[in-house]
Amino acid sequence: MHNFEFILPTKIVFGVGEINRVGKEAEKLGRRPLLVTGKTSMQRLGILDKVTSLLNKEGLEVVLYDKIEPNPRVTTVDEGGELAKSKKCDFVIGLGGGSPMDAAKAIAVRACVDDTIWNYIYHGQGETFREVERALPIMTLPTIAATGSEADPGGVITNWDTHEKAVIFSPHLFPRVSIVDPELTVSVSPEITSDGAVDIICHVIESYFTATSPAPLQDRLSEGIIKTVMDSLERVLSDPESLEARSNLSWCSSLALSGLINSGRGGGMPMHAIEHAISGHYDISHGRGLALILPPIMDYTHEHRPEKYAQLAKNVFEIDTIGLPIIEGAKLGVKAMRDWLKSVEMYTTFSSLGITSPKYEQMAEDTIRVYGGDRGFLVNPRKLHREDIINLLKMAE
Amino acid sequence: MHNFEFILPTKIVFGVGEINRVGKEAEKLGRRPLLVTGKTSMQRLGILDKVTSLLNKEGLEVVLYDKIEPNPRVTTVDEGGELAKSKKCDFVIGLGGGSPMDAAKAIAVRACVDDTIWNYIYHGQGETFREVERALPIMTLPTIAATGSEADPGGVITNWDTHEKAVIFSPHLFPRVSIVDPELTVSVSPEITSDGAVDIICHVIESYFTATSPAPLQDRLSEGIIKTVMDSLERVLSDPESLEARSNLSWCSSLALSGLINSGRGGGMPMHAIEHAISGHYDISHGRGLALILPPIMDYTHEHRPEKYAQLAKNVFEIDTIGLPIIEGAKLGVKAMRDWLKSVEMYTTFSSLGITSPKYEQMAEDTIRVYGGDRGFLVNPRKLHREDIINLLKMAE
């Protein structure tokens, strides 16, 4: 196991109906929140009204900023930060899925500085990059089980001018409190629930595949999350109102990126890196982009670390691999993942997304520039240089 | 899943060699630490000298209190608290196993009040019990993988006058920082390492067996911890210097009681409750006492929740239970646990501990008085009243 620091200063208030505590929890953070959310869902479902009313009840002066698009953009964050400053907001609440939560985090930083948020996001060598020195206190209210933004110190922001999607990351971005109320996720459609499930799986499977140090506990915790996500998603697809299954998905989401599962094993997040290049160019959901890249990267990599793919086959898919050569077990693991994606209608290609003539070279270059660091490749058991990424993307044509 | 709050404000610095950061981390907490440890091991191994020297190097004025016995006592804590006050210590460091860490936590409370620590420990209805309102900042430096005191808000203290062993519990007792350096555990004997392993297993298996709400993710995380502890202990017993296996045990220890595994499923900790009554009367190690009670409680309970015991057989012991009646699977789970304890020389009875004529009635009464709350029994799939506990204890004669 590698050395590491584990820090998770977020208080998580978890459970059905806990959204009713939002006022009481919020008043511990300040008096005038900027309430950051998307343009339609929270309004349509009445969740925005409910949250606003609970906040008002405690005497808080809510400033609404409901302009967050999927894959939130630099310009939207900058505008939100200026609004928070002009209205003298003293904390920020992110309500919705990963987009409004990540936007809220970035706005909490932007509200404390005068230059664009893009300067605080690493997006390649030689580009402007400043450390985050402070942020307004952050609260998140997730309404989808997916990104884990409710319990991590990062956020993903897109520069639509340059088609770069990159990560803002700082201990200041841990929410002070997150209210994870699985009941809020009940209205999420099957498609978006499935997108989220794939995102959660990828949050733990990336380290599982790419770890540079053996970590059997972390592996088992990852397998536990993956199996629970798969079981729970299947249940939600047949019974969308199952609070039990929704709760399991939500707790998986919160733990996946909390540091508990991935600490100490090293490795990288090549799928996330490549996906960010995809959804930096095409306005698709993050989970759908991950579903697109997952089978190709498994195909492309499994011969370079077959024992891990065979372990997935045995421990997650419960395939009897006894007596098989490891490479055969590995191939069964790759096949099982592809089959599972098909079974939940998440098997994805560029053509199934309606994207013709994908910009393979451009996406590969963006990936390496933004996520290749000074290495010039993505960390993976089979190193991923520009040409490898083009190959991978073409496998998903 | 039940509703819950998850909070873990402890920063964990984990890894081989990280003890060298103790000075730098400590100076963030104050200037004059009370360094709490046991009477012999840390001195003999040179760890106390090393830690003291690292603290002095940062200019800290260390006040040493090296009087902690196994199963630390109220009188020892009270004396330590008075020492901290008289020397004007501004934080407390617990160095060693669960005993010095728990004592350090209790001393951190006692240093802020004038009455005995026993008044801050719930030990039965109608007894004096005050809420902990504050504590000096706490740092822990665990040298055994066992109690998880490095990442939880509790401590176990024994009143040797009344033979009661009970828990002090408060969010103020979370360490601010814990340095978990697995290299410090390499010198721990096979017996004490095994004691610790059983303690870790029991920290997650109690909720696993007694949960009052289904929680498949928590179950899988528990199974992952149990399997990793078993594998790692076996490796340590054959290769005591394996830093890899020692690291796995240490990370299992830190996570087991952190709230991540047990949150949301309810249940109780009947084995811990009964064990505290045992080691309140007999000066045995906590892990050994748990090993004594584990097979009887499984024997006594499995017919009342056979599906959970069969699940243990299948998922932890990898027993093929397909086609078997659930009760048969459950019995195989009970047998497998007993066999495993024997395989690591942890199978324990009163007679193997040299205890003749155990005070069954007294221990059962103490258990119910201290841990029975206003229910008068311990929470378990088969409720445990006084008579049940006597039966259980007699099974371990």
Side-chain angles (χ1 to χ4, degrees), chain A residues 61 69-70 74 130 177 182 189 222 278 328 361 375 386:
Chain A
E61 300 163 25
E69 61 278 288
V74 167
R130 296 193 180 135
V177 59
S189 71
S222 301
I278 302 173
E328 294 306 316
E361 289 78 10
R375 296 178 306 275
R386 179 180 172 284

Side-chain angles (χ1 to χ4, degrees), chain A residues 5-219:
Chain A
E5 270 191 23
F6 170 77
I7 309 174
L8 179 52
T10 303
K11 176 168 92 167
I12 300 175
V13 178
F14 188 99
V16 172
E18 295 292 348
I19 192 64
N20 291 307
R21 282 170 60 183
V22 66
K24 294 285 183 197
E25 291 295 334
E27 70 172 351
K28 298 173 192 167
L29 301 182
R31 300 306 306 157
R32 188 179 293 193
L34 185 76
L35 178 54
V36 176
T37 191
K39 297 173 187 174
T40 54
S41 307
M42 295 300 107
Q43 294 82 341
R44 179 171 46 80
L45 295 166
I47 297 175
L48 179 60
D49 276 351
K50 177 170 186 171
V51 166
T52 305
S53 144
L54 286 161
L55 293 168
N56 288 336
K57 198 172 152 198
E58 302 305 324
L60 301 184
E61 300 163 25
V62 178
V63 178
L64 180 64
Y65 185 59
D66 60 350
K67 296 192 176 178
I68 309 303
E69 61 278 288
N71 301 319
R73 300 182 184 182
V74 167
T75 46
T76 312
V77 169
D78 285 340
E79 184 186 326
E82 288 299 327
L83 179 65
K85 278 198 278 193
S86 71
K87 297 288 188 182
K88 300 194 181 348
C89 292
D90 52 5
F91 70 110
V92 180
I93 301 176
L95 168 67
S99 296
M101 288 193 286
D102 286 1
K105 290 176 170 185
I107 287 170
V109 174
R110 182 61 178 77
C112 302
V113 295
D114 290 324
D115 52 339
T116 173
I117 197 68
W118 196 238
N119 290 348
Y120 298 83
I121 297 175
Y122 179 85
H123 55 281
Q125 281 185 289
E127 303 295 330
T128 304
F129 173 59
R130 296 193 180 135
E131 288 279 337
V132 173
E133 288 179 5
R134 67 189 204 90
L136 295 180
I138 297 159
M139 167 186 260
T140 72
L141 307 173
T143 61
I144 307 180
T147 63
S149 304
E150 64 272 22
D152 82 3
V156 182
I157 304 298
T158 300
N159 185 333
W160 202 247
D161 292 334
T162 62
H163 291 289
E164 288 169 322
K165 191 170 173 181
V167 181
I168 185 166
F169 192 87
S170 159
H172 297 290
L173 295 190
F174 275 114
R176 300 286 179 94
V177 59
S178 289
I179 300 181
V180 182
D181 185 337
E183 198 167 15
L184 300 182
T185 71
V186 166
S187 54
V188 177
S189 71
E191 294 74 22
I192 294 177
T193 303
S194 302
D195 286 357
V198 171
D199 193 17
I200 301 170
I201 288 171
C202 288
H203 286 157
V204 297
I205 214 170
E206 296 243 46
S207 296
Y208 187 85
F209 286 149
T210 66
T212 51
S213 181
L217 176 61
Q218 288 86 327
D219 280 357

